[in-house]
Amino acid sequence: MTVMETTEPGTDVCVPPPQALRRPDGRDQYTISEVVAFTGLTAHTLRWYERIGLMPHIDRSHTGQRRYSNRDLDWLDLVGKLRLTGMPVADMVRYAEMVRAGDETYADRFALLEATRRDVRARIAELQDTLAVLDRKINFYADAGQALASERSR
Amino acid sequence: MTVMETTEPGTDVCVPPPQALRRPDGRDQYTISEVVAFTGLTAHTLRWYERIGLMPHIDRSHTGQRRYSNRDLDWLDLVGKLRLTGMPVADMVRYAEMVRAGDETYADRFALLEATRRDVRARIAELQDTLAVLDRKINFYADAGQALASERSR
DNA sequence: CGCTTGCTTGGAGTGCACTCCAAGGTTTTA
DNA sequence: TAAAACCTTGGAGTGCACTCCAAGCAAGCG
């Protein structure tokens, strides 16, 4: 009875989304469920993105169903990337608004992208720092494990 | 009258925490507000970490106030690093429980650290991918900005 | 035609990680 | 010694990013 539109929550142990399904080009009209398959987002989330102004206007079929274009999918790709950087959705909405506003926002958009790039570089540096800590700790655990093992066998 | 224990929310535009104040060694007793200064966490968060089992038992003064040790600060450093990786607090709690449980959890802890390292590497790769996208977009914007500027001056 | 599957809406609910509050006891500074 | 700053608790509140629900319309198939 109920709509089954979640992406299976069972077996997502080591698989990302199933390669996020490359979209077949040659078409420029996709239903929401196709977009779900391409992006790994849920239909809920896609509609929510639209409500909060994160999406441009999405075409509709004659019966009112959403028809996403390749352009829309490109935008969703960018949104996905920005999401990975930890950028708040509200900031992305502001960016989307600037895009809609047109040419006079070029400078601001440019600045926002550069600031984001700076943040991403900083986050990469932090993560590499963390990686170093993990490496040290893992080596320590490996050694300690050795010690424990030899103690046990003694 | 009220407790003033937030770290000033006004001017945090480009400063991280104020270098997170290196702790002066030679001591092994710190009040909660000193720990706030060292870690950049709020006192609220420190107490919350304790409630949920993320901290080992923290010493108390004879009147019941918390006295953090260097060991505790080291643990908070690790927690901070893990937090940067996006590890959920619940997972950190599980790790803390394993540490408390002792030797028989060595293998599990080792595995958890290695899995985390794998995740961190993956996230770094994602971010570098995103960086590439941003670079391309920024170059595009720079060119388009040039075009606009020359158009305006025409 | 009926059945299944898919899409629509606004609004309410969820989970996470804090964040704050009130009311009171403690410690430090003047 | 008095005022100011700091610490304690349990429980309630906040903000974000979804996530779900009910009720209903629509499309394809045997």
Side-chain angles (χ1 to χ4, degrees):
Chain A
M1 246 351 126
T2 33
V3 189
M4 225 294 273
E5 44 190 356
T6 49
T7 54
E8 80 289 344
T11 24
D12 66 335
V13 184
C14 200
V15 240
Q19 196 41 260
L21 253 65
R22 206 58 228 138
R23 58 179 121 141
D25 31 27
R27 230 178 354 139
D28 202 28
Q29 299 247 100
Y30 306 94
T31 65
I32 200 167
S33 62
E34 286 172 314
V35 179
V36 164
F38 296 149
T39 62
L41 298 168
T42 71
H44 298 305
T45 301
L46 287 167
R47 289 191 277 255
W48 178 66
Y49 278 0
E50 211 174 317
R51 266 204 300 222
I52 62 174
L54 183 52
M55 299 299 295
H57 177 79
I58 303 292
D59 277 358
R60 299 297 179 117
S61 72
H62 69 107
T63 55
Q65 299 193 350
R66 288 171 182 79
R67 293 292 178 259
Y68 290 82
S69 68
N70 282 308
R71 207 172 215 303
D72 298 329
L73 290 183
D74 290 343
W75 173 254
L76 281 170
D77 281 348
L78 176 63
V79 165
K81 290 272 181 252
L82 293 180
R83 212 165 46 112
L84 285 178
T85 71
M87 178 185 283
V89 167
D91 289 2
M92 290 191 251
V93 170
R94 281 200 295 109
Y95 183 73
E97 280 162 359
M98 287 196 271
V99 171
R100 282 196 290 275
D103 285 357
E104 68 263 41
T105 62
Y106 255 76
D108 288 344
R109 281 187 262 168
F110 187 72
L112 193 145
L113 288 174
E114 284 197 312
T116 303
R117 178 166 65 174
R118 193 171 38 64
D119 291 350
V120 171
R121 288 205 173 120
R123 175 140 305 127
I124 288 175
E126 279 176 350
L127 285 178
Q128 270 160 353
D129 218 53
T130 301
L131 203 52
V133 170
L134 283 174
D135 285 342
R136 269 192 282 114
K137 236 176 157 49
I138 284 169
N139 288 338
F140 169 78
Y141 268 82
D143 294 354
Q146 284 291 320
L148 271 183
S150 64
E151 188 158 315
R152 251 185 236 112
S153 67
R154 232 190 292 136
Chain B
M1 252 337 135
T2 32
V3 188
M4 225 293 276
E5 42 190 357
T6 49
T7 53
E8 81 289 346
T11 23
D12 65 337
V13 184
C14 200
V15 240
Q19 196 41 259
L21 253 64
R22 205 62 224 135
R23 58 178 121 140
D25 31 26
R27 229 175 359 136
D28 202 28
Q29 299 247 101
Y30 306 93
T31 65
I32 200 166
S33 62
E34 287 172 313
V35 178
V36 164
F38 297 150
T39 61
L41 297 167
T42 71
H44 297 305
T45 301
L46 286 167
R47 289 192 276 257
W48 179 68
Y49 277 1
E50 212 174 319
R51 267 204 298 223
I52 63 175
L54 184 52
M55 299 298 296
H57 177 78
I58 303 293
D59 277 359
R60 298 296 180 119
S61 73
H62 68 106
T63 56
Q65 298 193 348
R66 288 172 182 79
R67 294 291 177 260
Y68 289 83
S69 67
N70 281 309
R71 207 173 216 302
D72 299 329
L73 290 183
D74 289 343
W75 173 254
L76 282 170
D77 282 348
L78 175 63
V79 166
K81 290 274 182 248
L82 293 180
R83 211 166 47 112
L84 286 178
T85 71
M87 179 185 282
V89 168
D91 288 3
M92 291 192 250
V93 170
R94 282 199 294 110
Y95 183 73
E97 280 162 358
M98 286 197 271
V99 171
R100 282 196 290 275
D103 285 356
E104 68 264 38
T105 62
Y106 254 76
D108 288 345
R109 280 187 263 167
F110 188 71
L112 193 144
L113 289 174
E114 285 199 311
T116 304
R117 178 165 65 175
R118 192 171 39 66
D119 291 351
V120 172
R121 288 207 173 119
R123 175 142 304 130
I124 288 175
E126 280 176 349
L127 285 178
Q128 270 160 352
D129 218 52
T130 301
L131 203 53
V133 171
L134 283 174
D135 284 341
R136 269 191 281 118
K137 238 178 156 47
I138 284 169
N139 288 339
F140 169 78
Y141 268 83
D143 293 354
Q146 284 292 319
L148 272 184
S150 64
E151 187 157 316
R152 250 185 238 112
S153 67
R154 230 187 298 136

